[in-house]
Amino acid sequence: MSISRLSALGALLLAGAACAAAPAPAPVRADALTQAEAAARAKRIANVAYALDFTLTGKESFDGTSTLQFDLADTRAPLTVDLDKASIASLTVNGVTVAPRYNKAYITIAARDLKVGRNSITVAYRRAHSTNGEGLHRMLDPVDGKVYTYSHFEPAAAQQMFALFDQPDLKASYQLTVTAPADWLVVSTRRESAVEERGATRRWTFPPTKQLSSYNFSMHAGPYKVWEDNSGPYPMRLFARQSVAAQVAPADWFSYTRQGLAWFDDYFGIPYQFEKYDQLLVPDFLYGAMENAAAVTFAEDGFLYKAAMTDAQRESLAEVIMHEMAHQWFGDLVTMKWWNGLWLNESFASFMATMATAEATEFSGAWQTFYSEGKQEAYVQDQSPATHPIEVPVASSANAFDNIDAITYSKGASTLKQLRHLLGDEVFRKGVHNYLVKYQYKNARLDDFIGSLGEAAGRDLGPWTRQWLYKAGVNTLAAEYRCSAGKVASFALRQSAPAALPALREQRVQVATFVLDGGKLAPGKTVAVTYSGASTSVPALVGTACPDLVYPNYQDWGYVKVKLDKRSFATASAHLGAIEEPLLRAMMWQSLWDGVRDGELPLERFIQTALANAPAEQNYKLLGDVLGKVAGAKYYLDVMHAPPRYAHKTIAALEAMTWRGVEASRGNANFTHRWMDAYLNAATTAQAQDRLVSILDGGTVLEGVPLDQDLRWKIVEALSRAGYAGSAALVAAEQARDNSDTGQAAALRATVLRPDAAVKRQWLATVMDLNTTLPFSRVRTAMENLYPARQRALSELTAAERLRRLPALDKAAGPVYMRAWAATLIPKDCTPASVARLAQAGRQFRGLSEGTMRALRDEHENERRCLAVRKAMTFPQE
């Protein structure tokens, strides 16, 4: 699964701190399966096969019949079957009709109705389609009135569609039959074996699948537009809603898919196992994409474009395709035994996706993208109270996604990357191949994976596992050296750790030195070093020229926060333009931003550096990274109660810089889109608002950036956020032009963004009403846009109410809702009072779910960090 990447701004602003004391564990939800219950059930059951029959009409509910066949080891106790919120029409156990014992979460089968050996249970039922992206989701397209459905089951939502044993270690085959409207297509893990015409409907029959965990099976149905490509060894199809088909670039999808399948076949040494490769763009999706075996789903709002894609957008598409493709082997073919293994699935897919993108596509700089995006998110979170070990216990299925975060994805991927460097490329590859061969179509644990790597390497990886996977936190690495007579007299790497998380680790890095020569930084010497402990000497650098810059994690082999020595920091600050390598230049920018976050570099000095250097940046990847940091700097100015004169002057300067960037980059879409997005974020002055209105009206033409509907909505949203007097009329006008579901979502964003207290209260009441009929995708959109940074005064008007209602919401709502709520609606104001308020809430609220409590601790630390950044600033106080 690919989660939507954490926003660059959010990643920049998360604070660094040691892990806070864990709260008392929250009670397990009544409808959740505990690990102990799953283990007990798995001991009794084997050789599971499902026969599933669905009748779909396009209406709000569907009918289904689930037949479960399985071997049972004993009849000493009842057996539970998972089925969520259905109306059961009949229940048959081993040919006998029985009265259902059903609590809307589990059907309990009495022991007397079971037998040792082969059993059969058939459940006929009706259930409402979901509208929150789980189970069998239904969406009515407002453009043409067509209905689309798709399934999403991870971590344990298959029970929202059919009766089963919904846990990953009970792999099964799935035989599917579907009756659907005649103009619909039905897509599943295998291609259909027969389609029977029945007048207004068609009946689709699919052969049994190979052994899969329940969350890897899927079924999707609707009048989808389909594209086909049979040019490779595996038939490929791409599906999208008919009303958005013009926004899909199938040639790019098929090209990256074909390249990826060939690359993974070769790397793993095991051919792709699922016969065909389907990909579906679906609406209202909760995450970025999902690795359903042979029928991968993608959140369409991340991959639909009304104009030609930029290189950055195409690289993002390639990376997500590769991520889900890696899962076909690592996740679908070999699957974790329980949800504590989810990190390994996601870490491995993130690592392999970056490597495949870099080596199989034109995007050879994919590792730079990973460094600037995912890896920085991991560093930030690993220094926050929300950090946790990579491998953590998972009490129940309700807790499966508590740790779906940058630690699970990006720190885990970074750890695998440095392990590959430690063991060597071919040893690592051999270990992965052996693991996949040994455990294919089975479930495996972490020890199985590490054991395969250790066997291939001929070493015990137990100490490495304990250091990296069972201990939280990020270490800091610094170069300590002394020069004499222009030469390095001594050189060592100094590793440190925060007091609360004191583990020191072993890893292999490259240490590189550079010397200023004629205005450029010339390479000195690069040395590969395996370090451990507090200090490791580097004798190979003794006697080399005294450097102006030392970077002890050159080319980003290791997972470690680099602290530049004073001489190197001064060089990086003064000579950014002298660094020719884009990745090294990105690392220097990151060091400066780390200095801001750590309270060592005043924010205004960073802003001055950005104003001087960003316009000259000629690498579009790095420009995006730098402008993301500029957005982070503006966020601080918006929230930290900066002196008004300084804030106005600085924001005007950022606004002017970004507009000059738009004008200077015309004709180069990769750069113009970067600058335009930055301008829309910075545009707040009356002059900027007038310019944006002129663009909308056609008075100002942007060369190289078509004024398509996407850009029109972005402009309207920016004007609404800035409080433009005519923003409500602009929203209404755009909604009349664009009544698509994406247009409705954009209109909602623009409306909720408006700095109007009445609008805020109305929408806050809607999103906090758990009985609202609004689809969850709209609820989440409203949450995300209620209180932007510049509107902190409006946020304060409802802050007390939001905190007061938090415990009740957390108890009543499910984890999908609370993940969105906690990420957006915990109040913050960058004041001592706000810090104290969140600290009190953390002490007062007992029994919160782990995810919500973690978010509360995190926001408390973010507030504390905001105050520290303000304190480090040196502008005159007004």
Side-chain angles (χ1 to χ4, degrees), residues 13-32:
L13 301 178
L14 287 172
C19 189
V28 174
R29 291 175 58 87
D31 57 351

Side-chain angles (χ1 to χ4, degrees), residues 82 233 253 320 346 351 361 428 432 619 758 772 789 791 806 865:
D82 310 337
W253 283 81
V320 178
E346 299 302 344
F351 165 71
T361 76
F428 183 87
V432 169
N619 181 279
T772 179
Q791 298 174 12
L806 172 58
R865 173 68 57 171

